[in-house]
Amino acid sequence: MDKPDLEDLKQFVLEHPFPTDILIETIAYCNLKCIMCPQSRLSRPKGKMSFELWKKIIDEVASKSPQTKIWPALMGEPLLLGDENFRMIRYAKDRGIQYIALNSNLGVFRKDMIDGFFDSGLDELIVGIDAFTPETYAKIRVGGDLETLVENIHFIIDEKEKRGLSHPIVTLQYIVMDENEHEEEAFVDYWVKQGKKLKLKVKPRTGWSEAVEPWRGIVNVSQQDRHLPCTWLLRQMTIFWDGHVPQCDGDWDGKTRFGDVNRQSIEEIWNGSLKTLRNRHMQLDFNFYPCNKCEDWQAGRSKNIECGSDA
């Protein structure tokens, strides 16, 4: 993978009156123990978001900024919610949310879930793979089975084509790290040659602040030489399953607390306590946790590859 282009990030150094992206942790349980994710080390309570809290969040976004992208993801596998996951997505789409993307490892996918993917109005399904061979997959996505995963991906894409649907977009994600860097080319080549309409998303392994070792390819600038704010912090809000709002997803374990959407609005939190952090970043002041230990701001944008004859 090429080194990230930090100059490209400058176009995203902007202030926004409302988050352009919101990560909503609908569940904090997962079926896998992936080596690039600290989920198994959570010390904060685990649980599932109530539908009432989901509605409160979605209602505000729909009212204030329906173009804000919704990502039901963080420290959990959303398909563990079963039909509730699709009910949540359907509610968001019915309220006018323009874009909602679901990140999944598909490890608990069952073929009888297929109608949920299509009927919920989901805009994009992002499937984490991160390997080309079963051996590498087993080392990275511990507890998963690559053969079954690939079979299910083909099933979803084929069903979508049979039904003549344009959505959800199916995106296969490859997080580059030392353990799989040698398979990136084979992964891309295989899926391109399938001739199916899908997207490949290749990105470097980030460190979730200091939780895991980031891919060596992204660490190019020392903290003292840093010259860019974190463009994720400038546009994105993170909400845990219980409504707690941390500084960002880099604080995956909830050591910081900047709001609670059970009793506050997103707008109030975004333009209040979180704005002070964005202001500090704009002034190139990163001397606070977890920014003073985080390299993820250097990751740059993902590389996207469109596949399929009519892509």
Side-chain angles (χ1 to χ4, degrees):
M1 183 177 184
D2 297 334
K3 285 186 177 294
D5 180 4
L6 297 186
E7 287 299 308
D8 181 56
L9 292 178
K10 290 183 178 179
Q11 64 181 297
F12 300 108
V13 180
L14 301 168
E15 180 60 68
H16 300 280
F18 197 87
T20 67
D21 298 77
I22 302 180
L23 296 181
I24 305 176
E25 181 185 70
T26 54
I27 185 169
Y29 296 101
C30 193
N31 54 303
L32 301 184
K33 295 184 181 298
C34 302
I35 64 172
M36 66 290 190
C37 177
Q39 198 278 343
S40 61
R41 305 208 310 273
L42 280 179
S43 64
R44 61 181 170 89
K46 297 179 183 180
K48 303 174 184 179
M49 180 172 283
S50 71
F51 192 72
E52 287 306 308
L53 180 55
W54 171 266
K55 286 171 61 178
K56 181 179 185 296
I57 294 167
I58 293 301
D59 287 349
E60 181 181 356
V61 177
S63 171
K64 299 289 185 179
S65 178
Q67 69 274 15
T68 289
K69 296 180 178 179
I70 299 297
W71 307 80
L74 194 62
M75 290 288 114
E77 168 51 55
L79 292 190
L80 288 172
L81 290 170
D83 291 341
E84 185 77 349
N85 169 68
F86 300 116
R87 181 184 176 213
M88 287 176 158
I89 296 169
R90 184 69 267 169
Y91 181 83
K93 295 302 295 182
D94 287 345
R95 290 288 288 120
I97 300 300
Q98 295 176 14
Y99 181 91
I100 185 164
L102 189 72
N103 287 75
S104 175
N105 59 51
L106 287 188
V108 296
F109 173 77
R110 303 184 314 272
K111 290 185 177 179
D112 62 5
M113 291 179 174
I114 195 68
D115 289 337
F117 282 109
F118 300 142
D119 297 343
S120 64
L122 179 66
D123 293 285
E124 184 173 7
L125 170 64
I126 303 173
V127 183
I129 301 184
D130 312 321
F132 177 67
T133 64
E135 295 77 18
T136 299
Y137 184 84
K139 291 176 184 176
I140 293 174
R141 290 193 165 264
V142 180
D145 177 77
L146 182 61
E147 183 177 348
T148 301
L149 173 61
V150 171
E151 177 185 316
N152 285 332
I153 292 169
H154 281 294
F155 172 74
I156 292 169
I157 295 172
D158 291 345
E159 278 294 310
K160 178 184 162 186
E161 183 177 343
K162 286 178 188 176
R163 301 182 189 205
L165 302 174
S166 60
H167 287 79
I169 297 166
V170 177
T171 297
L172 308 183
Q173 181 169 276
Y174 195 96
I175 299 175
V176 179
M177 56 194 97
D178 292 349
E179 292 83 354
N180 69 0
E181 186 180 6
H182 63 290
E183 292 186 3
E184 177 188 345
E185 185 176 347
F187 168 82
V188 171
D189 186 60
Y190 170 80
W191 286 105
V192 168
K193 287 182 176 178
Q194 296 306 299
K196 297 183 177 182
K197 188 169 176 59
L198 55 87
K199 186 169 73 173
L200 305 180
K201 181 178 182 180
V202 181
K203 57 185 287 189
R205 167 167 150 170
T206 53
W208 293 92
S209 180
E210 55 180 339
V212 297
E213 190 69 28
W215 180 59
R216 52 184 166 72
I218 73 168
V219 184
N220 302 309
V221 181
S222 64
Q223 282 289 348
Q224 57 266 33
D225 294 328
R226 182 174 176 179
H227 59 284
L228 276 174
C230 176
T231 56
W232 285 331
L233 183 70
L234 296 182
R235 67 181 189 269
Q236 178 178 287
M237 178 185 277
T238 298
I239 303 174
F240 292 155
W241 68 271
D242 59 358
H244 168 183
V245 176
Q247 170 178 311
C248 61
D249 60 339
D251 182 19
W252 50 275
D253 206 26
K255 298 188 186 310
T256 62
R257 183 178 290 270
F258 285 86
D260 182 350
V261 294
N262 287 288
R263 55 184 179 79
Q264 295 171 280
S265 70
I266 292 168
E267 189 173 38
E268 176 187 355
I269 298 167
W270 181 254
N271 292 310
S273 53
L274 286 180
K275 186 174 174 60
T276 63
L277 301 180
R278 299 196 303 278
N279 288 344
R280 291 182 70 174
H281 266 239
M282 286 296 221
Q283 296 163 11
L284 302 184
D285 173 10
F286 316 111
N287 191 28
F288 53 96
Y289 177 85
C291 302
N292 56 355
K293 299 178 181 295
C294 185
E295 304 284 359
D296 294 352
W297 67 274
Q298 306 187 51
R301 288 200 286 172
S302 303
K303 178 172 69 175
N304 295 295
I305 302 167
E306 300 284 346
C307 304
S309 57
D310 60 341

